[in-house]
Amino acid sequence: MMNQELSFQLLIEEDKIQGDFIGYIPAVRLGVQGETLEEVRMNATELLHMEIESRLQMGKSIPEDNTATMERLTINVPLPAAK
């Protein structure tokens, strides 16, 4: 069996309340968690391997990376008047 190198976007966000990191792979709509950036990357790699192997075993195609983009939304929120 021949190996093929695939590349996927990984969005990583720090969760300051929990003190860890959350990762999200948009192409397969899966999320991971890790206590460090390196751990979240390793967990994402393992999860992606499992997802692709599972898809291949079920006869499904390998997902292509998507072109997810980050956008900033600005909203106006009424705040209570200062006392």
Side-chain angles (χ1 to χ4, degrees), residues 8-12 22-26 30 32 40-41 44-45 65:
F8 293 89
Q9 288 182 330
L10 171 62
L11 168 68
I12 300 174
I22 306 297
Y24 180 67
I25 307 166
L30 293 173
V32 295
V40 86
R41 288 181 190 116
T45 299
D65 192 26

Side-chain angles (χ1 to χ4, degrees), residues 34-79:
E35 291 189 16
T36 64
L37 284 171
E38 187 56 36
E39 185 177 357
V40 86
R41 288 181 190 116
M42 285 182 356
N43 292 345
T45 299
E46 290 174 13
L47 183 64
L48 195 52
H49 271 283
M50 288 188 294
E51 175 67 18
I52 289 174
E53 288 172 7
S54 173
R55 286 177 183 225
L56 291 174
Q57 288 174 356
M58 293 187 299
K60 294 182 178 180
S61 62
I62 295 175
E64 291 185 26
D65 192 26
N66 61 9
T67 55
T69 59
M70 293 284 294
E71 294 186 6
R72 180 170 304 277
L73 297 177
T74 302
I75 61 172
N76 289 309
V77 179
L79 300 177

Side-chain angles (χ1 to χ4, degrees), residues 4-36:
Q4 179 179 351
E5 186 174 275
L6 302 173
S7 180
F8 293 89
Q9 288 182 330
L10 171 62
L11 168 68
I12 300 174
E13 178 180 33
E14 184 177 7
D15 185 339
K16 293 185 187 223
I17 295 172
Q18 296 295 324
D20 62 2
F21 296 89
I22 306 297
Y24 180 67
I25 307 166
V28 291
R29 294 189 170 110
L30 293 173
V32 295
Q33 180 182 4
E35 291 189 16
T36 64

